[in-house]
Amino acid sequence: MFAELKKPSNAVFISAVCLWEISLKFALGKLSLDQITPDALRLSAVDMGFALMPLLPEEASGFDNLPRSGHKDSFDRMLVWQAIHNKHQFVSCDAALDVYKVQGLKRFWPE
């Protein structure tokens, strides 16, 4: 199903924003990670060959350029903005994010 993610020629990035959201939900008790901590999850991502992508100041300060378009989840919107800004494909099953294709989002989800 995720063969594209496993191809060595395709770089896979994990955003600091994603790790922040996971850590926040874990701390609030809204997310169970089954005997792993958010920090261990980060280390596992690195061990699996994923690249960690920081939130850059120009991405943070340019976030206002992304229209709200009815999608209210700030974490998802920042991840979308990072994908657009960096010209990356965004792996997500959330078809509601396709509203951002006009801004340049390339959403990928294997069927």
Side-chain angles (χ1 to χ4, degrees), residues 31 72 76-77 91 107:
L31 177 66
K72 296 179 182 175
D76 285 354
R77 292 180 65 247
V91 179
R107 186 179 68 87

Side-chain angles (χ1 to χ4, degrees), residues 45-84:
V46 171
D47 287 345
M48 293 183 341
F50 297 162
L52 299 179
M53 184 170 62
L55 177 61
L56 300 175
E58 55 270 22
E59 293 165 344
S61 65
F63 180 64
D64 64 297
N65 291 306
L66 186 69
R68 291 202 65 177
S69 300
H71 202 286
K72 296 179 182 175
D73 185 309
S74 296
F75 286 106
D76 285 354
R77 292 180 65 247
M78 180 54 84
L79 291 167
V80 163
W81 181 243
Q82 277 192 303
I84 292 169

